[in-house]
Amino acid sequence: MSSPPARGLLLLTGAAGNLGRVLRGPLAQLCGPKEDYKALRCSDLRADPALPELQCCDLADRAATEQLLQDVDAVVHLGGVAIESPFEGICDANIRGVFHLYEAARLAGTRRIVFASSNHTTGCTPQGEHLGPSSPIRPDGYYGVSKLFGEAMAQLYWDRYGIESVCLRLGSVTAQPEDRRALSTWLSHGDLWRLVRAALLAPSSGCLTVYGVSANTARWWSEQGWEQLGYAPKDNAEAWRSTVQDLCPAPDTPMARLQGGSFLGLGPFARTP
Ligand code: NAI
Ligand code: 15L
């Protein structure tokens, strides 16, 4: 697939996090005078000694986020709270933060945002039930709700302001599957990169939501939207079945029954100041 000529900067938020560390090297390869983007700008809430050029920015700070987006053509948005936890922290990073990101993108003339959404948008669905991006939403906590807010912002900013978004409902991104649930939910590091690359470089995306999962024999989520992006996963968790199939929560618990797995065991939370 041919990609458009070099435009502005590519911004990676959450660059110091788990997935940021996996993606920042490959993303840098898309940047340069003859590449798709002029340069990669990395940011995070926290500094990373391994990446001195990282720009610290709290997405809950609107002015700082507007500055961060200047000259940015496309964003891979990973920054935020990545687990189920009390609402207040999720609200600052994933709700206010996403609002600030989209507003800053509108002001900067940013063309596309690849948004790291999550399978926890539908985590209260029973395990084994097959889902696609238009299946009913069934968030399993505030975290899942915050990702649905992000997906709604993506649709709003496409319909009103023409900013393209690809919302990736990522499964379990790890070097290898870690438990029985991951036989269905695993997204390998290689497939993560194939998916993010496809989401950035697809000639036109509009506002598209897809599940992000490897070619697992036991997967629950449909490939709807993959063809439009040109994403073709290569890895399959099945190869680890004998190692991980006994690693599972006690039967008849929500963690064992529902797709969100261990997140169903988190909360309710005590009130935080
Ligand atoms: P992570 O927690 O390792 O990285 C997230 C990064 O965001 C951290 O480095 C953190 O400092 C930064 N961050 C937190 N609050 C921020 C704020 N207010 N402003 C700026 N930066 C802030 O998480 P991970 O695993 O790298 O996930 C990356 C993204 O992908 C997250 O948005 C997560 O929700 C999403 N995701 C990850 C999955 C996985 O399997 N790791 C699966 C589904 C979605
Ligand atoms: C997520 O959304 C989380 O960020 C990650 O830590 C994993 O828990 C993943 O989902 C999962 O469902 O395995």
Side-chain angles (χ1 to χ4, degrees), residues 14 16-20 44-46 57-60 77-82 93 116-119 143 147 170-173:
N18 292 320
L19 306 196
D44 202 290
L45 182 62
R46 56 190 165 115
C57 172
D58 183 353
L59 295 160
H77 180 49
L78 305 180
V81 173
S117 184
S118 171
N119 72 89
Y143 170 70
K147 293 297 183 182
L170 303 176
S172 307
V173 189

Side-chain angles (χ1 to χ4, degrees), residues 3 5 59 115 137-140 160 169 185 191 194 211-212 270:
S3 46
L59 295 160
F115 170 59
I137 55 170
R138 297 189 75 176
D140 58 31
R160 294 286 308 272
R169 288 185 176 173
T185 63
D191 285 336
R194 283 182 266 282
Y211 279 88

